[in-house]
Amino acid sequence: MSPYDQLEQAMIEVAAGRRIAYLGPEVSALSGGSAPSSPAALCAQIEAQVRAPRRVQGNLWSVAQYVESRKFRATLDKLVQDAFAGDTPGSNPVHDWLARVRPSMVVDTWYDDGLLRAFDAASQGTEDWGLVQGVSRNGEWIDIFTRAYDNTGAEVEAADPAWKTLIYKPHGLARKGGSMLISDSDYVEVLTEIDIQRPIPEEVQRRRTGTPFLFLGCRFDDQMLRIFARQIAKRSGQGHVIVTPGPLSRMEARFVEEMGATWLDLPAEAVAEALSVPEG
């Protein structure tokens, strides 16, 4: 079976609810527009506004920590929100497809709101989906890792098991009024607890049980991103598929092996080409 055939099969399984889509920045980039489409690109935009020390340059999480420490959190939030608030991006074939087939859960790891806009456009008055997003604990006075919202944007106590689709954005959302994990201190709070799964919402844990993942447009050349992926996929099913172009770094190759995953050496654009397959 060719890599394209394997990709099409995995996408059929996502549409049928037998596999969970896990989206990275390269999927968001299919929307076009001027928003950054990788951690490196977002880091460069922040550094264009605030000069960071040489020792942290090029590392998004460390540069964000420098801005937070020297310029305050509100400045960091505004810089990131502004980076994603440029021209309106176009239609995204992957987001539109997921909004149409309504799988049980989608994990979206980038900071943009493209997937939410696609679901909102496809809702047609239905209220069968909602969002859980990671939030920074900076400035919080309560023990909190995530917040949940229904499809109108109203905050709710927790994800509703009755939602047909749960959108999980573990790193948060870069738009006004939102919250995100981006600085080193944000992640320290989460990583101290993630091994015992406290930051992972109960409904996410329930929906992933026994179901493998399809990782689309993600790079795993950063330790923190690998930790998040491992923990989100914990106690899920076997047979993960990772779609990302090579060459893989040494640590990415090790990650693929540790996850017991099949690596498909394909770009995110290959997903759009596979969308003509029958759904379900």
Side-chain angles (χ1 to χ4, degrees):
M1 185 181 291
S2 73
Y4 283 94
D5 291 337
Q6 291 174 287
L7 173 59
E8 289 182 2
Q9 180 59 42
M11 292 176 68
I12 289 172
E13 292 168 358
V14 169
R18 302 193 300 272
R19 186 176 292 276
I20 297 169
Y22 186 111
L23 311 180
E26 293 173 15
V27 170
S28 294
L30 296 174
S31 301
S34 61
S37 57
S38 70
L42 177 55
C43 185
Q45 288 194 228
I46 295 174
E47 288 189 60
Q49 301 295 317
V50 177
R51 184 175 180 179
R54 185 181 298 273
R55 69 179 184 278
V56 301
Q57 287 176 4
N59 183 301
L60 174 60
W61 335 116
S62 297
V63 167
Q65 184 63 53
Y66 175 81
V67 175
E68 179 178 293
S69 300
R70 298 299 180 92
K71 304 287 186 179
F72 305 110
R73 180 68 187 209
T75 299
L76 173 62
D77 286 346
K78 187 175 188 307
L79 287 173
V80 179
Q81 290 165 6
D82 287 349
F84 287 90
D87 56 356
T88 302
S91 177
N92 185 303
V94 177
H95 292 166
D96 292 345
W97 168 67
L98 290 167
R100 187 168 69 251
V101 301
R102 287 291 205 275
S104 174
M105 182 166 70
V106 181
V107 181
D108 184 9
T109 65
W110 199 223
Y111 298 108
D112 69 300
D113 64 354
L115 184 62
L116 303 181
R117 288 186 287 103
F119 266 77
D120 188 52
S123 291
Q124 298 179 339
T126 61
E127 300 180 357
D128 61 351
W129 65 278
L131 164 72
V132 176
Q133 68 160 83
V135 297
S136 171
R137 299 178 75 175
N138 184 287
E140 293 284 354
W141 297 97
I142 56 177
D143 186 19
I144 187 173
F145 290 103
T146 60
R147 285 196 172 95
Y149 303 87
D150 66 21
N151 74 315
T152 70
E155 187 172 354
V156 295
E157 184 175 349
D160 189 340
W163 287 344
K164 185 173 182 180
T165 301
L166 167 59
I167 296 174
Y168 177 39
K169 291 184 71 69
H171 301 278
L173 188 59
R175 66 181 181 186
K176 191 173 182 179
S179 182
M180 73 201 91
L181 307 178
I182 193 165
S183 66
D184 282 334
S185 59
D186 288 336
Y187 285 110
V188 166
E189 296 279 0
V190 175
L191 294 177
T192 56
E193 303 280 350
I194 201 167
D195 191 52
I196 59 172
Q197 298 284 285
R198 277 194 67 217
I200 312 295
E202 289 185 8
E203 187 62 16
V204 171
Q205 296 183 44
R206 186 184 74 81
R207 295 191 186 216
R208 76 183 176 191
T209 302
T211 307
F213 282 77
L214 171 60
F215 296 90
L216 296 173
C218 307
R219 301 305 311 201
F220 294 110
D221 50 2
D222 181 280
Q223 182 181 19
M224 188 273 296
L225 297 177
R226 293 193 296 272
I227 290 172
F228 262 70
R230 287 192 196 98
Q231 295 298 331
I232 291 171
K234 204 173 198 177
R235 303 188 185 95
S236 60
Q238 297 182 340
H240 304 303
V241 175
I242 297 175
V243 181
T244 193
L248 298 181
S249 69
R250 181 177 62 87
M251 295 309 297
E252 284 180 307
R254 179 180 293 182
F255 174 78
V256 171
E257 182 179 357
E258 289 174 351
M259 294 289 286
T262 298
W263 170 48
L264 303 183
D265 184 2
L266 296 171
E269 289 80 2
V271 184
E273 297 175 16
L275 286 175
S276 60
V277 299
E279 295 164 4

